[in-house]
Amino acid sequence: MAKHDPALSLLFHALADPTRRSILTRLAETPARVTDLAGPTGLRLPTVMRHLSVLEEAGLITTSKDGRIRTCAIVPEALDPVRTWLDEQRAIWEARLDRLDAFVMNVMKESEE
Amino acid sequence: MAKHDPALSLLFHALADPTRRSILTRLAETPARVTDLAGPTGLRLPTVMRHLSVLEEAGLITTSKDGRIRTCAIVPEALDPVRTWLDEQRAIWEARLDRLDAFVMNVMKESEE
DNA sequence: ATCATGCTTAGCCATGTCGCTAACTATCGC
DNA sequence: GCGATAGTTAGCGACATGGCTAAGCATGAT
């Protein structure tokens, strides 16, 4: 069941940064050049490049170079593993909710911090 | 719309670590003491404590102390923002798939690296 | 009162992250 | 070829992360 999936770690880590998430939503509109992505963020090119590497290594985007222009685009199915993991967790978590009842009541009594 | 949601960053960052994910799946079975969580991971107590703080600050778990024993439990609804974000993204990404067609064909022609 | 247990705090170390600048390479338009 | 444009590489600094040990504190059992 892939307990310690490294791909999952890459994905979550890539998504943990607000700049990278905004790059993703920007790319969701339409593919863009590196400079196009740097503009809105207010970041320098090398900085954007690094974010793009992280996104690409996580498999969230693809890039291709035509002449001196590198175009970046999202890879829609890249989020599938995340969604799968989330579904698995929700299934387990909800299945065990009954076991939590006693604990929750304990918490409501105890946690006054 | 929450473009740069800090809570989302906390969540994704918390989930990016395999150890923390395994702690979560362990807690999905049943609430546990700190020592119970340290055992399987092979990590020292202070290390586990840090992971627990990260998880708690992200809102993924609750802890309560009874005597000298701290009990940890998952917060099932904590994953909701992640799920919401994923749903939003999928909606946008899929809606723009048509715009990607031209690019994808370009990629298949270009990317031989 | 004493001792073992369970957690907590403080602090160290190696490594990773995120921003930058400066300098380099590679293309495109003339 | 020359200069502007687009991207890349190298390397720096500040800070975060993930592991550890050692020592402290609080509670429960004897």
Side-chain angles (χ1 to χ4, degrees):
Chain A
M1 282 295 179
K3 289 269 174 173
H4 307 297
D5 196 343
L8 218 43
S9 298
L10 283 178
L11 281 168
F12 279 128
H13 172 248
L15 295 174
D17 188 288
T19 301
R20 286 195 288 267
R21 287 201 303 279
S22 72
I23 287 178
L24 282 180
T25 48
R26 164 64 187 81
L27 286 180
E29 287 180 31
T30 184
R33 301 176 307 159
V34 178
T35 309
D36 294 335
L37 297 172
T41 60
L43 297 175
R44 302 295 180 183
L45 270 184
T47 307
V48 174
M49 285 288 296
R50 269 166 160 266
H51 284 303
L52 292 177
S53 316
V54 173
L55 289 170
E56 193 168 16
E57 279 176 28
L60 285 162
I61 67 171
T62 339
T63 75
S64 77
K65 202 167 176 182
D66 182 23
R68 60 182 163 171
I69 293 179
R70 174 170 301 272
T71 310
C72 312
I74 52 173
V75 177
E77 63 272 23
L79 287 182
D80 290 352
V82 179
R83 176 167 299 280
T84 302
W85 184 85
L86 229 56
D87 287 341
E88 287 175 5
Q89 295 305 311
R90 184 167 65 169
I92 305 174
W93 294 24
E94 287 182 354
R96 309 295 178 165
L97 271 185
D98 50 339
R99 298 200 189 185
L100 288 178
D101 284 349
F103 177 77
V104 169
M105 296 186 57
N106 187 16
V107 166
M108 297 186 67
K109 190 178 56 187
E110 214 78 44
S111 76
E112 301 298 328
E113 188 180 356
Chain B
M1 290 297 182
K3 288 269 172 171
H4 306 296
D5 195 344
L8 218 43
S9 298
L10 283 178
L11 281 169
F12 279 128
H13 173 248
L15 295 174
D17 187 288
T19 300
R20 285 195 289 267
R21 286 200 305 277
S22 73
I23 288 179
L24 282 180
T25 49
R26 164 64 188 80
L27 286 179
E29 288 180 31
T30 184
R33 301 177 306 160
V34 178
T35 309
D36 295 334
L37 296 172
T41 60
L43 297 176
R44 302 295 179 182
L45 270 184
T47 307
V48 174
M49 284 289 296
R50 271 164 156 264
H51 284 302
L52 291 178
S53 315
V54 173
L55 288 171
E56 193 168 16
E57 278 176 29
L60 285 162
I61 67 172
T62 338
T63 75
S64 77
K65 202 166 177 182
D66 182 23
R68 59 183 163 170
I69 294 180
R70 176 171 299 276
T71 310
C72 313
I74 53 173
V75 177
E77 63 272 24
L79 287 182
D80 289 353
V82 179
R83 177 168 301 280
T84 302
W85 185 85
L86 271 181
D87 288 341
E88 288 174 4
Q89 294 305 312
R90 186 168 63 168
I92 305 174
W93 293 23
E94 287 181 355
R96 310 295 179 162
L97 272 185
D98 50 339
R99 298 200 190 185
L100 289 177
D101 284 349
F103 177 76
V104 169
M105 296 185 58
N106 187 15
V107 167
M108 298 186 67
K109 191 177 55 186
E110 215 78 43
S111 77
E112 299 298 328
E113 187 180 357

